[in-house]
């Protein structure tokens, strides 16, 4: 059954027209042919609201007595029985009178929605739980009747019923809200213009946030990457320098110019951890932006302009505020700078503000090289190869007597430049090319030991060498970076392939998945958090590694998984490009959780189906098997009480014997039913102790004729660890079943033997036997094999026997009897103090 839809009319204060709007909606739906009823509406004596009830079907209210007074509440059962398409339920936060099924009316509404009934309801902004303290600080009144924010947020439609404070006060003064004697007090207290203005702003902002959530969901579902300027969101790019405070204040002033403006400060750090930012300054700026009502974000990314634009588009920002670069003029040879790059690549839908400040052009140190992500060790070797290796090569060449020629010498220096590029990236290679050119000019180009060059051809050769060295270094550096990217993409593809394979294989090990996350991203711990709603605390669903994170905010990295689940990682901050793969892991975690829930629901459904099957079989069996002995008992009792016939003593004895037999049969059937019930509910608690089989098995034969069984129980059998009562009941059911199916004159053989660490009790009959494919089915409840007569029982004996045997740690299985028939084998464990024995013990027969 599909869940019903909830529509809520939200108001800022009583009297704005929520109930009137709800009733108008009811009339519109009735006019369209919708089955709409009034489940509960409180008009508070307002004539115009009361008139709107005319023409709408109203469900009779339920009367409840409480402390000597009679109150009326919504009759939930009557509404569910009426099953309209739409139910109008006023005052969602209302607290029901004690004695009602639910404490709160919103809980009644949840039941209506679960039954597939659409509900239209009303609520005031002051009744939302999260706003209780704010409303109390505004009005001085603590609201006692509240509704969880999550209940209202889950509504399919929320419509704001808005009214200006002046119009609402006029409505109050005209007597349209409260009775005349209460108007003056209301206008001078709760309905003051300041109170109403503040409450109205709360309602507008709350609804705006809800609309923003809808917009974010829509953009995500439809993969909208362009920015929709539905609300001013200003991103401030921080570098960790002192100019950040100026930028934050400027962004706050820009946000104030537009209603509902939002400031998001973001600091982008490189993945290698190399940064010139001051942690103390960042902490100050974070406090400042939060004091101004904004939020602070920490993002990792090697390409700062790209990461900044990706963040801005991800949050649907409309403006970016950046400071004028602190780099000196000569440092622009390394690139145009972050501000210019962001302004160039922002596009027409994202405005970029470059703000001047006192720190502009004062310098900020050399830019971090692209190769910094290669690691400090490789950078060191790159610089050594680029600067020290040319010196060593020069010493070697100057001390050789062989003249290799200028071309060969240049090739040797070019080799060192390529090596520097491979190890340390572009900058060490450029330094090697420049340094190598100087060394070639000084030592190998006439006139030597001078920087002048006599032959113009050598000038061209050195210039070509430098250009080739720079070009080769650039190509090698680009190839190295492409190789790094390819290795990363290959690793990502392997991870995604693993995740896809785990989905296809149906793996449901959450701990294994989280361990893979921890290993992939080199984290200390990974925690999967879950909660039922936005107002509930987080709970740990699974955790790997030392330590547990209680909230996503406490982790170094958090990745949302749906609305009420999050993946929290502790250990280090992840680069921006790693979050894509982490998102795939998070999605897989959600799949695992969903699969577990579906599996639990399927298991529960199977249990319900099995229960229904057992109940159906029970009714079918009981309808005959219990009525038969009851009919026999009633016939005998009726005959004995009859005055028309004078019974002899022999006849009376026979009738009494029939009554006793019927009662015994009933007792046996009811006993099996009770035993099966105990097994189904898991209430069988065995008391294990050491016993001898020759003490228990003879006690189990009371329900069969004495001459129908032969016992073969060796006295030397070791003791077994069982519950004597459960074993006796199990053996009794097995023996009774064997006797029942044995041919006339054939006796059932009960034997026992010790084999290694167990004892086997065998109950063999010479009956018709059971095919191999039916040997397991005969142990299911309410199963009778073949043409068993209806009076042969309800088919619980073997099911109870197996259940009791397994409860005491044993097994019960069926085998073929040599020569025809069936043998039931009960396997029991030896007592702990008795060592394993050989099965060839001498046997003494007990009869």
């Amino acid at each position: 059954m599909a869940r019903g839809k909830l529509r809520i009319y939200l108001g800022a204060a009583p009297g704005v027209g929520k109930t009137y709007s709800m009733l108008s909606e009811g009339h519109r739906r009735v006019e369209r042919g919708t089955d709409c009823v009034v489940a509960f509406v409180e008009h508070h004596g307002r004539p115009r609201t009361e008139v709107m009830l005319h023409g709408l079907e109203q469900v009779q209210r339920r009367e409840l007595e409480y402390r000597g007074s009679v109150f009326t509440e919504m009759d939930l059962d009557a509404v569910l029985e009426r099953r309209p398409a739409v139910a109008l339920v006023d005052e969602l936060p209302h607290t029901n009178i004690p004695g009602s099924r639910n404490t709160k009316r919103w809980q009644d509404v949840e039941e209506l929605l679960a039954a597939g009934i659409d509900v239209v309801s009303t609520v005031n902004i002051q009744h939302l739980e999260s706003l209780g303290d704010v409303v109390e600080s505004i009005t001085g009144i603590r609201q006692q009747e509240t509704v969880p924010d999550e209940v209202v947020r889950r509504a399919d439609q929320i419509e704001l019923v808005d009214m200006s404070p002046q119009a609402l006060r006029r409505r109050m003064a005209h007597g349209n809200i409260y009775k005349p004697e209460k108007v003056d007090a209301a206008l001078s207290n709760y309905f003051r213009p300041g109170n109403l203005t503040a409450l109205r702003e709360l309602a507008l902002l709350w609804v705006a946030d809800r609309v923003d959530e809808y917009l974010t969901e829509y953009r995500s579902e439809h993969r909208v990457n362009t920015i929709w300027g539905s609300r001013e969101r200003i991103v401030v790019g921080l570098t960790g320098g002192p100019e950040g405070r100026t930028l934050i204040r400027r962004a706050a002033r820009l946000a104030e110019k537009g209603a509902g403006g939002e400031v998001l400060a973001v600091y982008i750090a490189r993945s290698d951890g190399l940064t010139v930012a001051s942690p103390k300054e960042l902490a100050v700026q974070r406090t400042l932006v939060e004091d101004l009502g904004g939020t602070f974000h920490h993002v990792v990314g090697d390409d700062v302009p790209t990461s900044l634009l990706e963040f801005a588009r991800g949050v649907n920002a409309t403006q970016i505020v950046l400071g004028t670069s602190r780099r000196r003029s000569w440092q622009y040879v390394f690139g145009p700078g972050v501000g210019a790059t962001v302004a160039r690549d922002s596009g027409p839908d994202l405005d970029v503000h470059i703000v001047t400040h006192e720190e502009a052009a004062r310098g900020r140190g050399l830019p971090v090289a692209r190769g910094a992500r290669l690691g400090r060790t490789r950078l060191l070797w790159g610089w050594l190869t680029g600067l020290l290796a040319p010196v060593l090569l020069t010493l070697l060449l100057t001390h050789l007597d062989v003249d290799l020629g200028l071309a060969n010498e240049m090739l040797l220096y070019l080799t060192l430049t390529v090596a520097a590029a491979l190890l340390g990236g572009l900058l060490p290679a450029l330094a090697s090319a420049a340094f190598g050119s100087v060394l070639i000019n000084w030592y190998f180009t006439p006139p030597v030991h001078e920087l002048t060059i006599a032959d113009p051809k050598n000038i061209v050769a050195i210039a070509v060498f430098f250009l080739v060295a720079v070009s080769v270094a650039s190509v090698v550096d680009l190839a190295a970076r492409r190789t790094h990217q390819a290795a990363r993409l290959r690793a990502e593809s392997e991870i995604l392939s693993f995740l896809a394979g785990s989905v296809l294989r149906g793996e449901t090990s959450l701990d294994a998945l989280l361990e893979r996350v921890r290993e992939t991203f080199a984290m200390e711990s990974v925690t999967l958090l879950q909660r039922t709603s936005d107002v509930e605390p987080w709970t740990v669903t699974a955790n790997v590694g030392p330590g547990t994170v209680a909230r996503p905010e406490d982790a170094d990295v958090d990745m949302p998984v749906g609305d009420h689940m999050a993946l929290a990682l502790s250990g280090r901050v992840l680069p921006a490009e790693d979050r894509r793969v982490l998102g795939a892991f998070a999605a897989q975690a959600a799949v695992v959780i969903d699969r577990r829930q579906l599996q639990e629901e399927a298991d529960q459904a199977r249990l319900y189906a099995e229960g229904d099957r057992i109940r159906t079989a029970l009714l079918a069996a009981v309808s005959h098997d219990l009525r038969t002995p009851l009919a026999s008992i009633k016939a005998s009792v009726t005959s004995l009480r009859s005055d028309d016939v004078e019974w002899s003593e022999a006849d009376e004895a026979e009738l009494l014997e029939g009554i006793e037999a019927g009662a015994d049969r009933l007792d046996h059937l009811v006993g099996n039913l009770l035993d099966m019930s105990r097994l189904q509910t898991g209430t069988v608690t065995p008391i294990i102790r050491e016993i001898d089989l020759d003490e228990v098995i003879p006690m189990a034969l009371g329900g069969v004729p004495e001459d129908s069984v032969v016992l073969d129980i060796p006295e030397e059998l070791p003791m077994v660890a069982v519950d004597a009562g459960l074993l006796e009941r199990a053996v009794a059911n097995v023996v009774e079943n064997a006797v029942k199916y044995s041919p006339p004159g054939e006796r059932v053989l009960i034997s026992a033997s010790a084999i290694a660490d167990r004892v086997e009790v065998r109950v063999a009959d010479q009956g018709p036997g059971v095919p191999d494919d039916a040997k397991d089915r005969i142990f299911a409840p309410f199963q009778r094999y073949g043409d068993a007569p209806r009076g042969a029982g309800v088919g619980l004996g073997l099911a109870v026997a197996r259940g009791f045997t397994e409860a005491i740690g044993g097994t019960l299985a069926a085998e073929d009897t040599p020569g025809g028939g069936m043998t039931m084998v009960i396997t029991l464990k030896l007592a702990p103090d008795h060592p394993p024995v050989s099965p060839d013990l001498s046997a003494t027969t007990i009869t």
Side-chain angles (χ1 to χ4, degrees), residues 463-496:
V464 170
F465 164 77
F466 181 76
L467 292 176
V468 170
V470 171
S471 301
V472 170
S474 300
V475 171
V476 170
D477 177 66
L478 179 62
R481 285 189 281 115
R482 291 290 183 266
T483 302
H484 172 75
Q485 294 174 359
R488 178 180 184 83
L489 291 175
R490 184 174 64 251
E492 288 185 6
S493 65
E494 291 176 356
I495 292 172
L496 296 177

Side-chain angles (χ1 to χ4, degrees), residues 333-465:
V333 299
F334 296 102
V338 173
T341 304
V342 170
R344 181 191 64 201
D345 299 338
S346 60
D349 52 358
L350 188 58
D351 298 334
V352 179
H353 302 266
I354 305 296
V355 180
T356 59
H357 51 84
E358 296 179 354
E359 302 296 325
R362 290 192 176 184
R364 53 177 299 175
L366 286 171
V368 180
R370 280 172 168 259
R373 63 181 176 275
L374 297 175
R376 295 185 180 183
T377 302
R378 287 192 61 177
L379 280 176
L380 178 61
W381 279 105
W383 284 104
L384 289 175
T385 303
L387 299 178
L388 184 59
V391 175
L392 297 177
L393 178 61
T394 302
L395 291 174
L396 178 63
L397 293 177
T398 53
H399 287 80
L400 288 177
D401 295 334
V402 181
D403 186 9
L404 298 178
L406 184 60
N408 291 328
E409 291 166 349
M410 286 184 175
L411 287 175
L412 292 175
Y413 282 96
L414 182 61
T415 302
L416 297 180
T417 300
V418 173
L422 287 173
L423 290 174
L426 184 60
L427 288 182
L430 293 177
S432 176
F435 190 40
S437 300
V438 173
L439 291 176
I440 291 172
N441 182 13
W442 183 267
Y443 287 99
F444 305 105
T445 305
V448 296
H449 304 303
E450 293 183 15
L451 294 179
T452 58
I453 302 174
D455 190 350
K457 294 181 180 180
N458 292 337
I459 296 177
V460 174
I462 292 178
V464 170
F465 164 77

